[in-house]
């Protein structure tokens, strides 16, 4: 039986709020898991359900268990950790240390940092290719994306991890996060200080800038049919849909104040958006406010054009200062763990 949990990273509370969702679409706060000071970024999960989140002010990464809803350990990394990525084989965690301009490589069998490499100024969030060969890290302070060869990790050779190229997205763009389209070979980049999202062909490194109408890009996700990229734009309280065929913005979705993290549940096409702004505006276009997630039913209206019906939205209460969100199906986690237990018994 499917059991969905929505994890909200609540920076001001120092907790991760876990929201359970049943098959009827009801949402319930299951627990707030205390972690370190100023957790940032979405909780990233391995296939067997090991969840990781950065504690920016404690220089650690917390490991979480979505079944017991508890923190199981802390791993020391560099100064000011923010972005995380897990290699496809689930063997290594990559951590961007924004406070010391570096990336840490964490061996998940040892639960320890085994290598650190220098990057440009203030690395933030990242995306890792499905083949596990490359990590693309947003270098917020340098206006580029660091292309890092991580192919050696597949044979536990972390000494060969190195930056092989940098991709410019604009001197003052301040790239914040990146996401790889599942099938098009395109890297989408949200820029906090540019009024466009950057789309990079990973084969040619050709860049296309898609106008968003405002600065403040924060996070990127994709619709389940892979037809649209969704970009949160913090300054105007909107999520902008980009058609991946035309690379044109087609729809602006009103959400709560200060949208940052976003995630789509592929089973019911609900988009979850964190409302990071601490002050509720006097006028709100959708339900909810600070310390909440805006939930948008993507199948309730069209993303093709601006003049369509309004989207159905509702609010889900979480902790203070929610900055990022992720989704996990705990039934799949338990099935994966059960398979491994049976394999180990033979």
């Amino acid at each position: 039986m499917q059991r969905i949990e929505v994890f909200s990273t609540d920076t001001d509370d120092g907790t991760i709020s876990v929201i359970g969702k049943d098959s009827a679409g009801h949402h319930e706060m299951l627990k707030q898991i205390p972690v370190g000071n100023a957790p940032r970024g979405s909780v990233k999960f391995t296939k067997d359900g090991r969840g990781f989140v950065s504690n920016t002010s404690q220089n650690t990464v917390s490991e979480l268990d979505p079944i017991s809803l508890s923190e199981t350990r802390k791993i020391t990394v560099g100064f000011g950790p923010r972005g995380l990525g897990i290699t496809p084989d689930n063997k290594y965690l990559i951590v961007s240390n924004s406070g010391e301009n570096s990336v840490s490589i964490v061996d998940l069998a040892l639960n320890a940092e085994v290598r650190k490499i220098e990057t440009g100024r203030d690395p933030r969030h990242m995306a890792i290719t499905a083949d596990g060969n490359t990590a693309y890290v947003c270098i917020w302070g340098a206006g580029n994306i660091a292309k890092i060869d991580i192919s050696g990790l597949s044979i536990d050779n972390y000494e060969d991890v190195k930056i092989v190229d940098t991709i410019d997205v604009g001197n003052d763009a301040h790239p914040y996060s990146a996401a790889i389209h599942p099938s098009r070979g395109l890297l989408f980049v949200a820029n906090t200080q540019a009024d466009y999202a950057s789309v990079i062909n990973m084969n040619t490194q050709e860049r296309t800038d898609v106008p968003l109408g405002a600065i403040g890009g924060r996070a990127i996700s994709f619709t389940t049919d892979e037809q649209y990229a969704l970009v949160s734009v913090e300054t105007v309280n909107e999520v902008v849909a980009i058609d991946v065929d035309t690379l044109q913005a087609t729809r602006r979705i009103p959400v709560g104040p200060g949208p940052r993290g976003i995630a789509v549940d592929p089973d019911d096409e609900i988009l979850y958006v964190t409302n990071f702004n601490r002050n509720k505006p006097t006028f709100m276009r959708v339900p909810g406010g600070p310390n909440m997630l805006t939930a948008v039913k993507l199948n309730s209206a069209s993303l093709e054009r601006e003049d369509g019906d309004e989207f159905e939205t509702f609010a889900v209460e979480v902790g203070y200062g929610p900055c990022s969100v992720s989704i996990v199906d705990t039934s799949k986690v338990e099935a994966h763990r059960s398979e491994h237990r049976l394999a180990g018994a033979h």
Side-chain angles (χ1 to χ4, degrees), residues 72-245:
T72 58
R73 65 171 53 83
K74 283 186 170 71
I75 301 170
T76 299
V77 290
F79 183 72
R82 284 185 184 255
L84 299 178
I86 297 173
T87 56
D89 59 10
N90 300 297
K91 292 167 65 177
Y92 289 91
L93 178 71
I94 300 175
V95 185
S96 63
N97 303 310
S98 62
E100 65 174 35
N101 307 331
S102 72
V103 166
S104 292
I105 308 297
V106 175
D107 186 322
L108 291 179
L110 301 175
N111 298 314
E113 178 187 86
V114 292
R115 174 94 195 281
K116 190 180 289 181
I117 63 171
E118 294 183 3
T119 64
R121 184 164 62 89
D122 201 347
R124 296 294 177 101
H125 302 284
M126 70 183 72
I128 295 176
T129 56
D131 61 10
N133 288 333
T134 308
Y136 292 93
V137 181
C138 293
I139 309 301
W140 190 86
N144 62 49
I145 309 299
K147 182 179 179 180
I148 303 179
D149 181 353
I150 60 170
S151 58
L153 295 180
S154 64
I155 55 172
D156 299 321
N157 183 3
Y158 45 78
E159 293 298 338
D160 279 349
V161 172
K162 58 184 179 297
I163 294 176
V164 293
D165 207 349
T166 56
I167 305 168
D168 175 64
V169 295
N171 227 13
D172 300 314
H174 294 297
Y176 190 77
S177 67
I180 296 171
H181 188 274
S183 59
R184 299 292 185 93
L186 299 175
L187 178 74
F188 284 75
V189 181
N191 304 305
T192 60
Q193 296 302 312
D195 60 359
Y196 56 81
S198 299
V199 184
I200 298 160
N201 184 312
M202 294 189 297
N203 293 318
T204 65
Q205 295 194 178
E206 179 183 358
R207 181 184 116 206
T208 302
D209 293 333
V210 181
L212 300 177
I215 65 171
R218 283 288 180 174
I220 299 165
S221 190
F222 299 99
T223 55
T224 306
D225 63 7
E226 303 179 4
Q227 186 59 48
Y228 296 93
L230 304 170
V231 184
S232 58
V233 185
E234 185 174 21
T235 59
V236 289
N237 302 338
E238 291 176 339
V239 170
V240 176
I242 298 172
D243 188 311
V244 300
D245 287 332

Side-chain angles (χ1 to χ4, degrees), residues 213-334:
I215 65 171
R218 283 288 180 174
I220 299 165
S221 190
F222 299 99
T223 55
T224 306
D225 63 7
E226 303 179 4
Q227 186 59 48
Y228 296 93
L230 304 170
V231 184
S232 58
V233 185
E234 185 174 21
T235 59
V236 289
N237 302 338
E238 291 176 339
V239 170
V240 176
I242 298 172
D243 188 311
V244 300
D245 287 332
T246 63
L247 296 185
Q248 298 290 322
T250 59
R251 188 76 194 258
R252 314 179 76 84
I253 306 171
V255 292
R260 289 198 175 188
I262 59 178
V264 177
D265 185 338
D267 294 298
D268 59 11
E269 284 293 310
I270 291 180
L271 168 70
Y272 295 91
V273 187
T274 63
N275 301 333
F276 186 72
N277 192 327
R278 280 83 163 180
N279 302 308
K280 184 173 182 178
T282 54
F283 172 73
M284 285 292 298
R285 292 182 287 172
V286 299
N291 314 322
M292 291 185 177
L293 307 179
T294 298
V296 181
K297 296 182 177 180
L298 292 175
N299 56 12
S300 65
S302 174
L303 292 169
E304 293 181 4
R305 61 190 186 280
E306 287 289 2
D307 59 353
D309 295 335
E310 292 185 2
F311 286 90
E312 293 180 36
T313 63
F314 59 94
V316 179
E317 188 171 356
V318 291
Y320 289 96
C323 73
S324 299
V325 62
S326 59
I327 298 168
V328 63
D329 183 343
T330 57
S331 63
K332 292 182 180 178
V333 170
E334 290 188 319

